[in-house]
Amino acid sequence: MKTKILSTSEYDIALAGEILAKGGLVAFPTETVYGLGADALNEEAVKKIYAAKGRPGDNPLIVHISEREEIIPLVKEVTPKAKALTEAFFPGPLTVILPKSKKVGNVVSGGLDTVAVRMPENETARRLIKAAGCPVAAPSANTSGLPSPTKAKYVIDDMSGKIDAIIDGGDCKFGVESTVITLAGDTPTILRPGAITKEMIEAVIGRVEVAKAVLEGMGKDEVAASPGMKYKHYAPKAQVVIVDADKKVYEDFVNARKNAFALCFEGDEITVPKVTYGKENDDLSQARELFDALRRLDEMGAKKVYARIPHTTGVGMAVYNRLIRAAAFKIIDLRKPFFIGLTGPTGAGKGYVSRYLSKIGFHILDSDKYVRKTYENNPGLLKRLAEEFGNDILVNGMLDRKRLAQIAFSSKENTEKLNRIVHPEVIALCEKEAKPLSVLDASQLFEAGAQEKCYKIISVIADWKTRLKRIIKRDGITKEQALARMNAQFDEEYYIKNSDFVIYNNGEDIEIQIKKIMEEIL
Ligand code: TXA
Ligand code: MG
């Protein structure tokens, strides 16, 4: 099929209206995003929309009208709240859901007994609906799953050859789809946030709820109030990860990731390839530019994208709602510094991995160093140790390390006692010096209970025989001594069971393993 590209001229709108009236498909601009329209009362025409988009048949469409009163024949009843909302926000970026009348077919409602109705503010959209002489069913004019089109060129990219015509009406004013609110249940509930915010709606009809899926995503067994919420959405080809951080931390994080792209705000100082989506404190600008930015990242060939988190209030809720879906709900939280834990039994090669991670740019916190530091300038700690192990461990108020070691390692019980006192202090010190995503290199990670502080844990393990050989060679000790040390630690199974990633270090190329793991964590 050859797709006509039409203008907003009188002639072209009349032509487009005729195409719709005859059961054809026309894409058209609205103030939110471009829509893909068909006669809402013609089931055969509506079916073509699902086919052109590749849209699942249980995901209902919004019916667009050009005058407020046109909602009346589509619904069972215009309730008082519906009347108030349509008076306040029609025409505009709001869609209301009500029980449907017999006039509305099952294809357009995706088999539900409700219908979604919206009266766009965009002049071209309303002229087209008038010219068609029927209500117009229209989802966003993108291929199902891709970002909604905010410019005619993206509609052309997705729909050329699949539909009869596209009206080029320039860029969309808001850039995110309409707010969808259902009035069919007991409490009005926002199913999709948009430019008409919760606060604006509450000012008109009082308390409304926001569906849980709007900001959190759906559990496997949950039933979607709005079928559109359960599908993967707005997803570019690139993998997107949201970074929850302030400007500076975000900049440092992204600039250290050589192969990544940034989806950031204007003015962010970024040294990797970037696309901006609006200004930091201007949610309308973010909404307007987000989908365009996602499509541009694909055009640039981005594989991995780190997006700066928007505010989630006002129209920001709509921006965040689209972005977390584009990111498949992947968020890195850099607000609290957290560690990537690195551990493993003696002789497995943790030290090598640690040095390699440092070489490729990770900030390493060497816990041994912090154990030593913990004892320095820490009278409180020395006092507690003296209470526990006797004043003998102090000489002129200074710690006699040898004496402490003798006592503390004389029994398992004493060792544990010492650890219980010292480990929390070491972790606290490490936390103080941590940057987000620092690697905490700690042979006693689990013994210290530091796994709680770790975002992900990597264990380095190796065959028992390989380890034994390494320890004897490295530390110049006997086989018996080496075995005693190995036996005092957790076994291999324990490390495997309690880690997110395991590096096997029996002489294979572990750098490939390390790189792959770090890529996955990031
Ligand atoms: O701004 C917009 O609303 C754009 C422009 C073209 O008007 N349209 C749009 O349509 O975004 P679409 O189909 O991409 O999104 C409609 C959303 C879907 O999530 C759908 O599941 C939900 O509205 N929806 C439609 N009818 C519904 C109903 N009866 N009950 C619950 N959810 C419904
Ligand atoms: Mg859509």
Side-chain angles (χ1 to χ4, degrees), residues 46-87:
V46 174
K47 277 184 193 160
K48 288 194 225 162
I49 293 182
Y50 287 92
K53 277 182 64 90
R55 179 174 176 117
D58 65 348
N59 192 1
L61 308 178
I62 297 173
V63 178
H64 295 66
I65 56 178
S66 62
E67 298 291 343
R68 281 198 192 96
E69 311 77 70
E70 288 166 14
I71 191 176
I72 297 168
L74 299 172
V75 301
K76 266 210 178 120
E77 181 201 352
V78 180
T79 60
K81 280 181 181 164
K83 187 158 183 287
L85 282 183
T86 55
E87 271 168 13

Side-chain angles (χ1 to χ4, degrees), residues 389-464:
F389 299 109
N391 280 322
D392 283 8
I393 62 158
L394 300 180
V395 179
N396 299 332
M398 301 279 284
L399 181 69
D400 180 345
R401 284 170 168 269
K402 271 211 181 122
R403 184 80 194 117
L404 175 65
Q406 263 172 14
I407 300 172
F409 299 125
S410 64
S411 72
K412 204 170 163 233
E413 208 194 343
N414 277 354
T415 308
E416 280 171 5
K417 223 187 251 172
L418 177 69
N419 286 345
R420 265 200 306 276
I421 297 172
V422 177
H423 280 157
E425 303 252 347
V426 177
I427 295 173
L429 259 187
C430 289
E431 280 188 302
K432 243 202 241 157
E433 306 234 340
K435 296 179 189 159
L437 288 190
S438 297
V439 174
L440 176 64
D441 173 350
S443 52
Q444 301 227 48
L445 186 95
F446 295 118
E447 290 87 338
Q451 67 267 41
E452 311 281 322
K453 308 272 178 185
C454 292
Y455 174 63
K456 297 282 176 191
I457 294 172
I458 305 170
S459 281
V460 186
I461 59 175
D463 286 349
W464 187 82

Side-chain angles (χ1 to χ4, degrees), residues 296-317:
R296 275 166 51 210
L297 284 161
D298 274 346
E299 287 171 1
M300 291 162 75
K303 296 267 180 314
K304 182 112 195 184
V305 175
Y306 291 107
R308 187 153 164 222
I309 199 165
H311 297 296
T312 55
T313 50
V315 181
M317 189 193 278

Side-chain angles (χ1 to χ4, degrees), residues 377-398:
N377 304 323
N378 198 342
L381 175 65
L382 298 190
K383 188 163 163 264
R384 281 190 63 200
L385 291 173
E387 279 163 17
E388 209 51 67
F389 299 109
N391 280 322
D392 283 8
I393 62 158
L394 300 180
V395 179
N396 299 332
M398 301 279 284

Side-chain angles (χ1 to χ4, degrees), residues 53 55 139-140 142 148 177 192 233-234:
K53 277 182 64 90
R55 179 174 176 117
S140 50
N142 52 287
S148 299
E177 307 89 337
R192 181 177 74 183
H233 246 84
Y234 316 115

Side-chain angles (χ1 to χ4, degrees), residues 125-142:
R126 272 187 290 146
R127 280 167 62 209
L128 174 67
I129 299 165
K130 281 213 166 75
C134 58
V136 173
S140 50
N142 52 287

Side-chain angles (χ1 to χ4, degrees), residues 36-51:
L36 175 55
D39 176 353
L41 305 179
N42 176 342
E43 299 247 298
E44 289 315 307
V46 174
K47 277 184 193 160
K48 288 194 225 162
I49 293 182
Y50 287 92

